[in-house]
Amino acid sequence: MGRSEELMERAVKYIPGGVNSPVRAYGSVGMTPRFIQGATGPYIFDVDGTKYIDYICSWGPMILGHNNQRVLKKVVRACEDGLSFGAATEAEVEMAEFICENIPHVEMVRMVNSGTEAVMSAIRVARGFTGRNKIIKFSGCYHGHSDCLLVDAGSGLMTAGIPGSAGVPEGCTADTLTATYNDLKSVEKLFEANPGKIAAVIVEPVAANMGVVLPGEHFLSGLRDICTGEGALLIFDEVITGFRLAFGGAAEYFGVRPDLVTYGKIIGGGMPVGAYGGRREIMELVAPLGPVYQAGTLSGNPVAMAAGLEQLKILKETPDYYTELEEKGRKLYGAMEELIRRYNVPCTMNYIGSLGSVFFTEHRVTNYAEAKMADTEAFAKYFRFMLERHIHLAPSQFEAMFLSEAHGNGQIEETLEAFEDYLKTQA
Ligand code: HOZ
């Protein structure tokens, strides 16, 4: 028995399922999770000292690679001043100035502690602003685990095959309408059936919690037009795409301006942070300025602000990173696509920039129903093969691969070799 197995035996006694977030339990790939000891650059090490090339990157935030020294130094420095004050700090002001001065569609911003909190709060302010209750989300999009959004959510629920969560009263989801990703007609129909009642449409501009699913050419601009026409707000959940697809996230990448945007862990450089922001007249409704209540002792935590701000500054200073990430994505995911074709294995590759997914289905994947057609058993076999070859992938068919600035040609080639060897076992 390895150390991970030993730790899991201890963990399950006191932590539900042995983990603090379901997907990492490795349930859908039929293994004991690797317990992690540390990480550096593109590598992550388990407690047995095995080194893996990491494509989880903490589900996105480690865009500079693990343990970036500049970020680390700022964290250590901030720790020396104190870990939490529950009071206003200069670091929060700098963070807000930095985001608002660099992201044109964010005129005001509020820091919170996670993407879940950011989205929950953005929905509340959208309802407060419009005086309407209903919201539209898309099947397969995941917006955190607040009650009203646990409807056909992707990520861990999709991995476990749970359409909605127990413990969520019907009343909490009564105002959540679901549309089909990449299908503007499904959105129009909901607006027709609910005139004047829909506060907001929330979308992952690139879906990355049902595997990576790209928006069709006119999907996001179509949503923009519909929302503008209907007096509803458009919310981009950029927890994964923010500061990753481009510095200005998917909004910049696709040239579509949302009314509100939500960010998650990437703006904390790996520390627990989230934020929501957008048009000033909407954000001015947030307490204490306005009547929409939202609060938190750890919001704007000084250590988290130090880490996040340094990471964002590095990204801003080095726009080439984004071109490089695109190139690395093409090199890795493009070559995987080519190999799938060469070995004629029934898989489909979806990718954009540094995000990618191999779906174990030969059909195109453009929405939740199509993603669900993937063979999860086949994915599990592939996952185990790759882990054996020291490639650390998300343990679910319905999560993304993340590349970082620290991934170089060497790691990409090693990954492609392992992938080709896997395909050979299937051809
Ligand atoms: N469901 C999360 C990613 N979409 C995973 C969170 C985690 O296990 O850390």
PDB file of all heavy atoms in Angstrom, residues 21-24 58-59 142 155-156 208-209 240 265 399, ligand 1:
ATOM      1  N   SER A  21     -13.697  18.001  -1.883  1.00  0.00           N
ATOM      2  CA  SER A  21     -14.405  18.391  -3.104  1.00  0.00           C
ATOM      3  C   SER A  21     -14.538  17.103  -3.934  1.00  0.00           C
ATOM      4  O   SER A  21     -13.542  16.381  -4.098  1.00  0.00           O
ATOM      5  CB  SER A  21     -13.599  19.465  -3.837  1.00  0.00           C
ATOM      6  OG  SER A  21     -14.351  20.009  -4.885  1.00  0.00           O
ATOM      7  N   PRO A  22     -15.764  16.796  -4.399  1.00  0.00           N
ATOM      8  CA  PRO A  22     -16.048  15.431  -4.868  1.00  0.00           C
ATOM      9  C   PRO A  22     -15.185  14.887  -6.004  1.00  0.00           C
ATOM     10  O   PRO A  22     -14.780  13.726  -5.959  1.00  0.00           O
ATOM     11  CB  PRO A  22     -17.511  15.499  -5.310  1.00  0.00           C
ATOM     12  CG  PRO A  22     -18.088  16.649  -4.574  1.00  0.00           C
ATOM     13  CD  PRO A  22     -16.977  17.636  -4.375  1.00  0.00           C
ATOM     14  N   VAL A  23     -14.899  15.689  -7.037  1.00  0.00           N
ATOM     15  CA  VAL A  23     -14.228  15.115  -8.212  1.00  0.00           C
ATOM     16  C   VAL A  23     -12.873  14.518  -7.843  1.00  0.00           C
ATOM     17  O   VAL A  23     -12.461  13.486  -8.371  1.00  0.00           O
ATOM     18  CB  VAL A  23     -14.070  16.180  -9.329  1.00  0.00           C
ATOM     19  CG1 VAL A  23     -13.271  15.631 -10.497  1.00  0.00           C
ATOM     20  CG2 VAL A  23     -15.431  16.647  -9.804  1.00  0.00           C
ATOM     21  N   ARG A  24     -12.213  15.138  -6.883  1.00  0.00           N
ATOM     22  CA  ARG A  24     -10.852  14.681  -6.559  1.00  0.00           C
ATOM     23  C   ARG A  24     -10.826  13.350  -5.802  1.00  0.00           C
ATOM     24  O   ARG A  24      -9.751  12.847  -5.471  1.00  0.00           O
ATOM     25  CB  ARG A  24     -10.065  15.768  -5.825  1.00  0.00           C
ATOM     26  CG  ARG A  24     -10.684  16.245  -4.543  1.00  0.00           C
ATOM     27  CD  ARG A  24      -9.794  17.268  -3.865  1.00  0.00           C
ATOM     28  NE  ARG A  24     -10.134  18.623  -4.234  1.00  0.00           N
ATOM     29  CZ  ARG A  24      -9.906  19.680  -3.461  1.00  0.00           C
ATOM     30  NH1 ARG A  24      -9.303  19.521  -2.292  1.00  0.00           N
ATOM     31  NH2 ARG A  24     -10.227  20.887  -3.840  1.00  0.00           N
ATOM     32  N   SER A  58      -4.426  23.168 -10.420  1.00  0.00           N
ATOM     33  CA  SER A  58      -5.381  23.636  -9.415  1.00  0.00           C
ATOM     34  C   SER A  58      -6.684  24.106 -10.069  1.00  0.00           C
ATOM     35  O   SER A  58      -7.319  25.043  -9.594  1.00  0.00           O
ATOM     36  CB  SER A  58      -4.776  24.735  -8.528  1.00  0.00           C
ATOM     37  OG  SER A  58      -5.622  24.958  -7.432  1.00  0.00           O
ATOM     38  N   TRP A  59      -7.057  23.460 -11.161  1.00  0.00           N
ATOM     39  CA  TRP A  59      -8.270  23.769 -11.928  1.00  0.00           C
ATOM     40  C   TRP A  59      -8.189  25.183 -12.504  1.00  0.00           C
ATOM     41  O   TRP A  59      -9.172  25.914 -12.556  1.00  0.00           O
ATOM     42  CB  TRP A  59      -9.537  23.567 -11.082  1.00  0.00           C
ATOM     43  CG  TRP A  59      -9.560  22.229 -10.418  1.00  0.00           C
ATOM     44  CD1 TRP A  59      -9.099  21.935  -9.181  1.00  0.00           C
ATOM     45  CD2 TRP A  59     -10.022  20.974 -10.978  1.00  0.00           C
ATOM     46  NE1 TRP A  59      -9.242  20.596  -8.924  1.00  0.00           N
ATOM     47  CE2 TRP A  59      -9.813  19.983 -10.002  1.00  0.00           C
ATOM     48  CE3 TRP A  59     -10.604  20.609 -12.204  1.00  0.00           C
ATOM     49  CZ2 TRP A  59     -10.144  18.647 -10.195  1.00  0.00           C
ATOM     50  CZ3 TRP A  59     -10.939  19.287 -12.390  1.00  0.00           C
ATOM     51  CH2 TRP A  59     -10.704  18.320 -11.389  1.00  0.00           C
ATOM     52  N   TYR A 142     -21.407  24.854 -15.181  1.00  0.00           N
ATOM     53  CA  TYR A 142     -21.295  24.786 -13.724  1.00  0.00           C
ATOM     54  C   TYR A 142     -20.954  26.171 -13.218  1.00  0.00           C
ATOM     55  O   TYR A 142     -20.042  26.819 -13.716  1.00  0.00           O
ATOM     56  CB  TYR A 142     -20.182  23.796 -13.334  1.00  0.00           C
ATOM     57  CG  TYR A 142     -19.987  23.650 -11.849  1.00  0.00           C
ATOM     58  CD1 TYR A 142     -20.950  23.043 -11.059  1.00  0.00           C
ATOM     59  CD2 TYR A 142     -18.837  24.139 -11.228  1.00  0.00           C
ATOM     60  CE1 TYR A 142     -20.783  22.905  -9.684  1.00  0.00           C
ATOM     61  CE2 TYR A 142     -18.655  23.999  -9.851  1.00  0.00           C
ATOM     62  CZ  TYR A 142     -19.623  23.391  -9.091  1.00  0.00           C
ATOM     63  OH  TYR A 142     -19.447  23.253  -7.736  1.00  0.00           O
ATOM     64  N   SER A 155     -19.476  19.522 -14.139  1.00  0.00           N
ATOM     65  CA  SER A 155     -18.444  19.234 -13.143  1.00  0.00           C
ATOM     66  C   SER A 155     -18.771  17.991 -12.322  1.00  0.00           C
ATOM     67  O   SER A 155     -19.168  16.964 -12.863  1.00  0.00           O
ATOM     68  CB  SER A 155     -18.221  20.473 -12.261  1.00  0.00           C
ATOM     69  OG  SER A 155     -17.078  20.314 -11.462  1.00  0.00           O
ATOM     70  N   GLY A 156     -18.629  18.103 -10.988  1.00  0.00           N
ATOM     71  CA  GLY A 156     -18.776  16.935 -10.121  1.00  0.00           C
ATOM     72  C   GLY A 156     -20.148  16.284 -10.212  1.00  0.00           C
ATOM     73  O   GLY A 156     -20.280  15.068 -10.078  1.00  0.00           O
ATOM     74  N   ALA A 208     -16.435  24.748 -19.590  1.00  0.00           N
ATOM     75  CA  ALA A 208     -15.257  23.943 -19.250  1.00  0.00           C
ATOM     76  C   ALA A 208     -15.542  23.005 -18.087  1.00  0.00           C
ATOM     77  O   ALA A 208     -14.636  22.479 -17.472  1.00  0.00           O
ATOM     78  CB  ALA A 208     -14.076  24.858 -18.922  1.00  0.00           C
ATOM     79  N   ASN A 209     -16.826  22.808 -17.814  1.00  0.00           N
ATOM     80  CA  ASN A 209     -17.209  21.901 -16.728  1.00  0.00           C
ATOM     81  C   ASN A 209     -18.101  20.780 -17.233  1.00  0.00           C
ATOM     82  O   ASN A 209     -18.764  20.099 -16.444  1.00  0.00           O
ATOM     83  CB  ASN A 209     -17.919  22.682 -15.626  1.00  0.00           C
ATOM     84  CG  ASN A 209     -16.946  23.476 -14.767  1.00  0.00           C
ATOM     85  OD1 ASN A 209     -16.244  22.912 -13.940  1.00  0.00           O
ATOM     86  ND2 ASN A 209     -16.881  24.783 -14.981  1.00  0.00           N
ATOM     87  N   ILE A 240     -13.160  30.126 -15.039  1.00  0.00           N
ATOM     88  CA  ILE A 240     -12.095  29.376 -15.722  1.00  0.00           C
ATOM     89  C   ILE A 240     -11.437  30.190 -16.836  1.00  0.00           C
ATOM     90  O   ILE A 240     -10.225  30.171 -16.997  1.00  0.00           O
ATOM     91  CB  ILE A 240     -12.649  28.039 -16.241  1.00  0.00           C
ATOM     92  CG1 ILE A 240     -12.902  27.131 -15.022  1.00  0.00           C
ATOM     93  CG2 ILE A 240     -11.700  27.372 -17.249  1.00  0.00           C
ATOM     94  CD1 ILE A 240     -13.293  25.719 -15.303  1.00  0.00           C
ATOM     95  N   LYS A 265     -10.663  31.470  -8.668  1.00  0.00           N
ATOM     96  CA  LYS A 265      -9.323  31.242  -8.106  1.00  0.00           C
ATOM     97  C   LYS A 265      -8.162  31.880  -8.860  1.00  0.00           C
ATOM     98  O   LYS A 265      -7.136  32.189  -8.254  1.00  0.00           O
ATOM     99  CB  LYS A 265      -9.106  29.745  -7.977  1.00  0.00           C
ATOM    100  CG  LYS A 265      -9.672  28.944  -9.158  1.00  0.00           C
ATOM    101  CD  LYS A 265     -10.293  27.623  -8.737  1.00  0.00           C
ATOM    102  CE  LYS A 265     -11.255  27.099  -9.793  1.00  0.00           C
ATOM    103  NZ  LYS A 265     -12.231  26.180  -9.307  1.00  0.00           N
ATOM    104  N   GLU A 399     -14.150  17.384 -17.144  1.00  0.00           N
ATOM    105  CA  GLU A 399     -13.344  18.527 -16.701  1.00  0.00           C
ATOM    106  C   GLU A 399     -12.314  18.827 -17.791  1.00  0.00           C
ATOM    107  O   GLU A 399     -12.116  18.027 -18.705  1.00  0.00           O
ATOM    108  CB  GLU A 399     -12.637  18.221 -15.375  1.00  0.00           C
ATOM    109  CG  GLU A 399     -13.561  17.841 -14.219  1.00  0.00           C
ATOM    110  CD  GLU A 399     -14.261  19.021 -13.541  1.00  0.00           C
ATOM    111  OE1 GLU A 399     -14.039  20.178 -13.948  1.00  0.00           O
ATOM    112  OE2 GLU A 399     -15.038  18.770 -12.598  1.00  0.00           O
TER     113      GLU A 399
HETATM  114  N1  HOZ B   1     -15.330  20.658  -9.653  1.00  0.00           N
HETATM  115  C1  HOZ B   1     -14.147  21.421  -9.620  1.00  0.00           C
HETATM  116  C2  HOZ B   1     -13.648  21.759 -10.987  1.00  0.00           C
HETATM  117  N2  HOZ B   1     -14.601  22.127 -11.937  1.00  0.00           N
HETATM  118  C3  HOZ B   1     -13.088  20.665  -8.912  1.00  0.00           C
HETATM  119  C4  HOZ B   1     -12.730  21.281  -7.661  1.00  0.00           C
HETATM  120  C5  HOZ B   1     -11.678  20.528  -6.875  1.00  0.00           C
HETATM  121  O1  HOZ B   1     -11.834  19.338  -6.640  1.00  0.00           O
HETATM  122  O2  HOZ B   1     -10.736  21.147  -6.477  1.00  0.00           O
END
